[in-house]
Amino acid sequence: MRTAIFDLDGTLADTSADLIAAANACFIGRGHAAPLDHATDALTAFRGGRAMLGLGVERLGLTDLIIDEEYQTLLDHYDAHIDVHTRLYPGVEAALDRLAADGWVLGVCTNKPEWLAETLLQKIGIRDRFAAMLGADTLPVRKPDPEHLIETVRRAGGNMARTVLMGDTTTDRDTARNAGVPVVLVGFGPLGAGIAELKPDAILTHYDELGDLLDGLVPR
C-alpha cells in the first residue's frame, strides 16, 4: 500500500492572505499600520504565526514581547476568518481523487495547530480525503522531527517504505530526509523556481501531474 502525506499551508492551499490578515489585525489593534503584505510576505506566512509577528515587530521597530502577547490574538482572529481568501491550488481535489482511486492512502502532516488544520480542511471541503491528520501540537514533536511524519503514516495505516511526502519548504524537505522517504516540493509557492535549490526528489508544477510523478518515486 502506497502512502502520500501532504503538508497543508502552501502545499494543498494558498492560505497566505488569511494568515497575513490575522497578523496585521494584531498590529492594527495596537494602533499601528498593517506592516505585512500578503503578496510579498507569503513565505513568512507559511513559516507560522510567530514568524509573521516577528517580521511585523521588526518593520515597526517594536519590542519582541509583542510576539508572545499577540500570538493568541492572532490565532483567534485567524480561526474566525480562516477561509475568507484561502483557496485550494488548481487541480488539488481531482488529483486527490485520482490517487485514492489508484489505491494511495492519503494523510496530512502540518505544523499548523491541529484544531486550526481540522477547521480549515473541513471548510475547504477536503478533510474526508485523508485517513489521518496530525498538526503541530498533536505530538510532543513536530516537523522536521521524523516522528511527526512516521506517526501520521502509522495512523493512516500506511507503510514508511512506500511513503512520499509532499511539501513546500525546507522543513518538509528536512522531515523527509530525516525519515528516509522521498520528498516532492511544489514549484508554485513563494519560492517559485528557487525551490530547486532545496534539491527535492521531484518538483510539482501542477497537480495534474501528481499521479505520474508519484508513480515514478514509489512504483506500483
Side-chain angles (χ1 to χ4, degrees), residues 10-198:
T11 300
L12 288 169
D14 184 352
T15 57
S16 59
D18 289 325
L19 289 165
I20 291 292
N24 280 336
C26 296
F27 295 104
I28 292 170
R30 285 176 171 260
H32 302 287
L36 306 178
D37 178 81
H38 81 269
T40 57
D41 295 322
L43 183 58
T44 300
F46 293 148
R47 289 173 177 158
R50 294 186 185 278
M52 291 187 293
L53 291 172
L55 181 58
V57 161
E58 178 184 337
R59 287 179 176 169
L60 294 173
L62 305 175
T63 172
D64 286 346
L65 292 175
I66 289 175
I67 298 173
D68 287 335
E69 292 171 356
E70 292 293 332
Y71 185 64
Q72 188 59 49
T73 300
L74 183 154
L75 294 180
D76 291 342
H77 185 281
Y78 182 61
D79 182 34
H81 307 86
I82 198 167
D83 63 337
V84 175
H85 303 291
T86 290
R87 298 291 182 270
L88 291 169
Y89 287 112
V92 165
E93 290 184 277
L96 295 177
D97 289 344
R98 286 192 297 269
L99 290 179
D102 206 24
W104 286 84
V105 175
L106 309 179
V108 170
C109 182
T110 174
N111 278 352
K112 198 184 201 73
E114 181 180 332
W115 59 283
L116 288 174
E118 284 283 4
T119 297
L120 181 57
L121 288 169
Q122 292 285 355
K123 284 184 174 291
I124 60 179
I126 60 171
R127 178 62 183 90
D128 62 346
R129 263 81 164 190
F130 302 104
M133 199 295 296
L134 272 66
D137 49 351
T138 306
L139 305 176
V141 298
R142 63 179 183 173
K143 296 184 298 184
D145 191 303
E147 186 57 33
H148 196 188
L149 174 60
I150 292 167
E151 181 63 11
T152 305
V153 174
R154 187 190 70 80
R155 295 191 188 186
N159 177 354
M160 286 299 295
R162 303 276 284 161
T163 290
V164 61
L165 177 63
M166 285 281 306
D168 70 309
T169 64
T170 304
T171 298
D172 297 308
R173 189 274 313 274
D174 292 346
T175 303
R177 297 289 182 251
N178 293 339
V181 303
V183 61
V184 177
L185 298 181
V186 300
F188 41 75
L191 285 176
I195 202 74
E197 297 178 7
L198 300 183

